[in-house]
């Protein structure tokens, strides 16, 4: 569950054992009530979302060929439900930037974290701007696991300027330094919904363009209050527009 | 699985929300199908034809076309055999790992019995 609060936004995760799960009258219907420790914050506003994950755990008995027991987990596309925390106000669906069908055009079936997480609209519940992780091998250094940054960087992989310069890009034990996007990297529409990738922001652009000089360029064109002037040169119709440097195929 | 959130209540700030959802495991095919047209001789040879259409709908993530590979057969009480099966695409194993398909087949099919007599 996550959504906006007065200062930023908040996210809460629970498991079925933490809430109160009640079976409904109809077979297969249930109600899960969050525990008192996971309430909607008092400062919540706007539209919030609840998403769920369920997996089927299957025990595999030993066979003549595989003599030791094992198991497998079957996931499912995660449902996401939007709701307003203000009575009488209609919930507004979250902007869809990437479309799962486009992901699965290459991946066939996205399934992460053991296979139970298969919907990008579910991924962003946790992979939001607050999520970070340690940079492997660099004590005290963290990196963003925000979906935007992380996925851009994973697909850029070997083409990241920092990797080309001899560095590595890894998250935990997974090293993506050798990943090659199997088509022109400028094909934003391979993943993105139409009209969602033409507004330049330092956060999005510097996830792939990660050279120190690019970071300096972005910082120099950002005010002390956080306003960015990227669109002056990179906005739609400008000389160095996103659509010009990443032309649609 | 059929999985959907049907509604959320208690949605005001300060409340612990309640999520209403439906979850049906292996929707449409709750039980692995029984073999059909099966026969087994006294010597342990014979054929068992499985209803693979039912298996396909029961197991998610198996791209078509696929084959069912019987990996082991064990005999239990009279007339009960257990088949351990998996899926392959014609060359390699894919998708779901072995699942157990306990089923009942005629231990002494009539045609074979007649021949032995």
């Amino acid at each position: 569950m996550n959504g906006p609060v007065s200062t930023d936004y908040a996210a809460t995760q629970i498991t079925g054992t933490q809430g109160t799960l009640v079976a409904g009258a109809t077979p297969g219907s249930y109600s899960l009530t969050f525990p008192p420790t996971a309430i909607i914050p008092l400062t919540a506003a706007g539209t919030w979302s609840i998403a769920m994950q369920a997996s089927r755990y299957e025990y595999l008995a030993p066979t003549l060929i595989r003599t030791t027991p094992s198991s497998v987990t079957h996931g499912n596309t995660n449902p996401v439900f939007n709701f307003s925390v203000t009575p009488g106000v209609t919930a507004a669906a979250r902007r869809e930037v990437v479309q799962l069908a486009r992901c699965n055009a290459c991946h066939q079936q996205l399934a992460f974290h053991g296979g139970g997480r298969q919907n990008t609209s579910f991924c962003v519940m946790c992979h939001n701007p607050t999520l970070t992780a340690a940079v492997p091998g660099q004590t005290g250094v963290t990196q963003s696991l925000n979906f935007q940054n992380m996925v851009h960087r994973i697909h850029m992989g070997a083409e990241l300027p920092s990797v080309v310069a001899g560095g590595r890009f890894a998250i935990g034990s997974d090293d993506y330094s050798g990943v090659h996007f199997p088509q022109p990297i400028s094909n934003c529409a391979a993943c993105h919904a139409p009209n969602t990738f033409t507004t330049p922001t330092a956060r999005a652009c510097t996830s792939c363009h990660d050279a120190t000089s690019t970071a300096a360029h972005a910082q120099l064109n950002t005010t002390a209050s956080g306003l960015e002037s990227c669109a002056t040169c990179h906005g739609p119709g400008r000389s160095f527009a996103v659509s010009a440097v990443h032309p649609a195929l | 699985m059929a999985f959907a959130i049907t509604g959320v209540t208690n949605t005001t700030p300060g409340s612990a929300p309640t999520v209403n959802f439906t979850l049906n495991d292996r929707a449409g095919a709750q039980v692995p199908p029984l073999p059909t047209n099966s026969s087994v001789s006294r010597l342990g040879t014979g054929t068992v034809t499985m209803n693979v259409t039912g298996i396909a709908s029961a197991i998610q993530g198996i791209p078509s076309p696929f084959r069912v590979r019987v990996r082991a057969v064990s005999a239990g009480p009279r007339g009960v055999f257990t088949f351990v099966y998996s899926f392959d695409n014609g060359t390699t194993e894919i998708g779901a790992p072995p699942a157990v398909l306990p089923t009942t087949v005629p231990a002494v099919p009539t045609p074979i019995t007649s021949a032995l007599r």
Side-chain angles (χ1 to χ4, degrees), chain A residues 48 76 99 180 232 240:
Chain A
W48 275 59
N76 195 72
Q99 294 176 315
H180 291 271
T232 304
F240 302 101

Side-chain angles (χ1 to χ4, degrees), chain A residues 1 28-34 39-42 50 52 54 56 60 63 65-66 72 74-76 79 81 83-85, chain B residues 1 3 5 7-8 10-26 60 71 84 93 97-99:
Chain A
M1 172 178 71
S29 66
Y30 306 90
S31 293
L32 175 65
T33 299
F34 280 55
I39 62 173
I40 299 172
L42 292 172
I50 283 182
M52 301 187 74
R56 183 178 190 278
L60 305 176
T63 69
I65 299 174
R66 183 181 292 144
V72 67
H74 301 278
N76 195 72
F81 192 92
F83 62 95
S84 172
V85 296
Chain B
M1 288 186 286
F3 191 20
I5 296 175
V8 179
N10 299 330
T11 58
T12 55
S15 302
T18 295
V19 189
N20 301 311
F21 65 97
T22 56
L23 175 61
N24 290 293
D25 191 20
R26 292 187 172 187
Q60 291 191 357
R71 303 180 61 160
V84 178
E93 190 173 71

Side-chain angles (χ1 to χ4, degrees), chain A residues 93-114:
Chain A
R94 187 170 187 153
R95 186 171 68 110
E96 186 178 45
V97 179
V98 297
Q99 294 176 315
L100 181 59
R102 294 173 188 261
C103 301
N104 286 338
C106 289
H107 288 277
Q108 195 169 44
Q109 176 64 72
L110 282 183
F112 294 106
H113 298 285

Side-chain angles (χ1 to χ4, degrees), chain A residues 117-136:
Chain A
R117 300 172 189 173
Q118 303 182 357
N119 185 354
T120 49
S121 295
F122 181 60
C123 300
V124 296
M125 300 287 285
C126 296
H127 285 279
N128 59 54
T130 66
L131 187 64
T132 60
V135 175

Side-chain angles (χ1 to χ4, degrees), chain A residues 191-245:
Chain A
C191 311
H192 286 280
N195 304 315
T196 61
F197 49 84
T198 56
T199 301
T201 64
R203 187 177 65 184
C205 299
T206 58
S207 55
C208 289
H209 299 283
D210 68 349
T212 304
S213 57
T214 309
H217 172 75
Q219 290 176 10
L220 287 170
N221 288 282
T222 302
T223 68
S225 61
L227 298 176
E228 300 175 342
S229 62
C230 307
T232 304
C233 299
H234 302 292
R238 299 295 180 170
S239 299
F240 302 101
V242 175
S243 58
V245 295

